[in-house]
Amino acid sequence: MAVIGVVGAGIMGTGVAQAAAQSGHQVVLTDLDAQTLDRARRTIEHNCRMSRLLGGPAVDTEAVLDAIEFSSDLKALEPAGIVVENITEKWDLKRELYPRIDAVCDPECVFIANTSAIPITRIASATSRPDRVVGVHFMNPVPLKNVVELIPGHHTSEETLRRTREFLDSMGKVPVQVRDASGFVSNRVLMLTINEAAFLVHEGVATAQAVDEVFRGCFDHPMGPLETADLIGVDTILLSIEVLHDSFGDSKYRPCPLLKEMTDAGLHGRKTGQGFYSYATPTPVGA
């Protein structure tokens, strides 16, 4: 199988690296921060050992870790046939990154943008290979969530789509193809729901617990919107809703001030131990 490059060792990048390695791929996981890479290694080890308890398959932890190279140098991506980018949802950062990986990787390498809000055509414009750039919105936790959004950009070729589908199939992922529009399907709906739920708390209409109880009890949702916010990361929610607001210029995407306050205060959810709910210890990244 092709070597898979993964850029960004946060929650999503760690999950993609683990899922690809579990599927038999050799993986190169890169991040500028060595501590983030160390944390990613520990998280993958933890998640592999806990896979059965989390509802997944039994996993050979050592085999998965042996299949992943951890590197802080983008040049380690040179042998990759596919690179999955997972950095923060900020266009300025992505616009700076893509020319760098474009210069390192083989001209035939496919770039997969794991983004939840930024249009793929815009991302492709930062490269010399817009026909080999495609979006895949993986869901968290990546090893356990099988459905993904597949988003071709304006120039994405059929060959790129074929190779991407083969890669997704190798990991047991089921792609649902949607058009290239900011937020795609899942985040156009989910971010509005979470943002409005945060407004209910901000305005004193209901507590976070009450909001989530309504969604669990009335609609049979396994998690309420604010529990989901804590799982994804409150800071990530804020970035996504800001992208939607900037993209559409529609006031319905105005970010709730409470999300901004919580982000500034470091109350990012499970990963920091405190969000809309308190957690005894921070959840390992990607868990």
Side-chain angles (χ1 to χ4, degrees), residues 11 79 93 132 134 165 183 202 274:
I11 292 175
L93 296 179
R132 288 183 288 284
V134 65
R165 287 180 179 276
H202 179 64
Q274 178 68 48

Side-chain angles (χ1 to χ4, degrees), residues 52-112:
R52 288 287 295 274
L53 294 177
L54 295 172
V59 175
D60 185 336
T61 303
E62 296 306 317
V64 170
L65 290 173
D66 287 345
I68 303 174
E69 175 187 348
F70 298 83
S71 178
S72 58
D73 188 352
L74 286 178
K75 290 183 179 179
L77 299 172
E78 285 181 354
I82 291 175
V83 169
V84 186
E85 173 269 310
N86 311 268
I87 69 169
T88 302
E89 293 281 67
K90 291 183 178 180
W91 170 234
D92 287 347
L93 296 179
K94 292 185 187 290
R95 183 171 54 190
E96 178 184 351
L97 171 68
Y98 273 89
R100 296 177 62 198
I101 61 174
D102 198 29
V104 166
C105 294
D106 185 270
E108 296 301 313
C109 180
V110 167
F111 291 167
I112 294 176

Side-chain angles (χ1 to χ4, degrees), residues 3-55:
V3 173
I4 305 301
V6 180
V7 180
I11 292 175
M12 298 306 294
T14 297
V16 171
Q18 178 185 332
Q22 284 180 205
S23 304
H25 293 281
Q26 291 294 312
V27 178
V28 178
L29 176 58
T30 66
D31 196 286
L32 293 177
D33 185 64
Q35 289 186 337
T36 299
L37 287 170
D38 289 340
R39 185 168 63 245
R41 179 190 290 274
R42 294 194 302 271
T43 298
I44 291 171
E45 181 178 11
H46 172 271
N47 290 347
C48 287
R49 297 190 189 283
M50 298 292 290
S51 179
R52 288 287 295 274
L53 294 177
L54 295 172

Side-chain angles (χ1 to χ4, degrees), residues 34-270:
Q35 289 186 337
T36 299
L37 287 170
D38 289 340
R39 185 168 63 245
R41 179 190 290 274
R42 294 194 302 271
T43 298
I44 291 171
E45 181 178 11
H46 172 271
N47 290 347
C48 287
R49 297 190 189 283
M50 298 292 290
S51 179
R52 288 287 295 274
L53 294 177
L54 295 172
V59 175
D60 185 336
T61 303
E62 296 306 317
V64 170
L65 290 173
D66 287 345
I68 303 174
E69 175 187 348
F70 298 83
S71 178
S72 58
D73 188 352
L74 286 178
K75 290 183 179 179
L77 299 172
E78 285 181 354
I82 291 175
V83 169
V84 186
E85 173 269 310
N86 311 268
I87 69 169
T88 302
E89 293 281 67
K90 291 183 178 180
W91 170 234
D92 287 347
L93 296 179
K94 292 185 187 290
R95 183 171 54 190
E96 178 184 351
L97 171 68
Y98 273 89
R100 296 177 62 198
I101 61 174
D102 198 29
V104 166
C105 294
D106 185 270
E108 296 301 313
C109 180
V110 167
F111 291 167
I112 294 176
N114 179 16
T115 177
S116 60
I118 298 176
I120 305 307
T121 301
R122 183 189 304 173
I123 291 173
S125 71
T127 77
S128 64
R129 63 185 83 200
D131 59 319
R132 288 183 288 284
V133 179
V134 65
V136 175
H137 181 200
F138 291 91
M139 305 298 161
N140 182 40
V142 177
L144 301 180
K145 297 289 186 177
N146 291 334
V147 175
V148 300
E149 289 178 299
L150 174 65
I151 313 103
H154 182 81
H155 298 288
T156 304
S157 69
E158 287 300 320
E159 173 64 11
T160 295
L161 284 173
R162 182 190 66 78
R163 291 174 60 188
T164 302
R165 287 180 179 276
E166 285 184 352
F167 169 56
L168 294 172
D169 184 64
S170 75
M171 293 195 296
K173 305 302 182 189
V174 179
V176 178
Q177 186 167 326
V178 301
R179 289 185 61 188
D180 185 21
S182 184
F184 319 122
V185 172
S186 61
N187 272 25
R188 283 279 292 273
V189 176
L190 179 62
M191 293 302 122
L192 273 176
T193 302
I194 292 175
N195 195 51
E196 198 62 28
F199 267 112
L200 291 172
V201 177
H202 179 64
E203 295 167 4
V205 176
T207 63
Q209 292 88 341
V211 171
D212 287 339
E213 186 176 349
V214 168
F215 275 80
R216 290 194 307 269
C218 296
F219 307 118
D220 292 329
H221 289 196
M223 296 179 69
L226 300 178
E227 291 174 303
T228 302
D230 276 358
L231 175 64
I232 295 172
V234 173
D235 54 332
T236 301
I237 298 295
L238 177 61
L239 283 173
S240 295
I241 199 73
E242 287 176 338
V243 169
L244 290 168
H245 190 253
D246 290 344
S247 295
F248 295 108
D250 193 324
S251 61
K252 70 182 180 182
Y253 296 111
R254 69 208 183 287
C256 176
L258 180 57
L259 295 176
K260 295 183 178 181
E261 180 183 337
M262 291 175 69
T263 297
D264 289 343
L267 309 180
H268 298 171
R270 291 191 182 191

